[in-house]
Amino acid sequence: MHGIQNSPFFLLALIGLLAILAVLPTLIALARGADDIGYLILVNVICCATIFGWPIALIAAIAWPRRHPPSTWSPAPRPHPHGDRTHRRGPYA
């Protein structure tokens, strides 16, 4: 069991995992397109040094307002299969 803990691959994987975990709030803020990303990076750098500050940075990254609100997707209107009959007057109109 001690062999895997002394392996350089295990140590590199552990350091990589901790590095990704440390910058996770910044990655979330970038993915969300948060406004004033510089402040969030600063909060992440300062708060990552403590165990209690990292959740604060994570919550700030999730709750920080976006640069542009997410657009609501709506499909384009589909044409009527029998053409546009709103302007025609038929015998039953």
Side-chain angles (χ1 to χ4, degrees):
M1 189 70 167
H2 293 287
I4 195 168
Q5 293 174 348
N6 294 332
S7 170
F9 298 114
F10 176 75
L11 292 176
L12 285 175
L14 184 64
I15 290 171
L17 179 68
L18 290 175
I20 290 173
L21 191 63
V23 296
L24 184 65
T26 299
L27 295 176
I28 290 173
L30 284 172
R32 288 185 65 241
D35 194 21
D36 295 331
I37 193 73
Y39 292 128
L40 284 171
I41 292 173
L42 183 65
V43 167
N44 190 23
V45 168
I46 292 171
C47 292
C48 191
T50 65
I51 296 172
F52 300 109
W54 186 84
I56 293 171
L58 185 65
I59 291 170
I62 293 171
W64 204 273
R66 293 182 179 195
R67 219 171 304 144
H68 303 287
S71 61
T72 56
W73 181 82
S74 62
R78 297 175 66 189
H80 194 271
H82 301 293
D84 186 17
R85 295 186 179 207
T86 57
H87 65 282
R88 298 182 188 157
R89 302 207 36 106
Y92 303 108

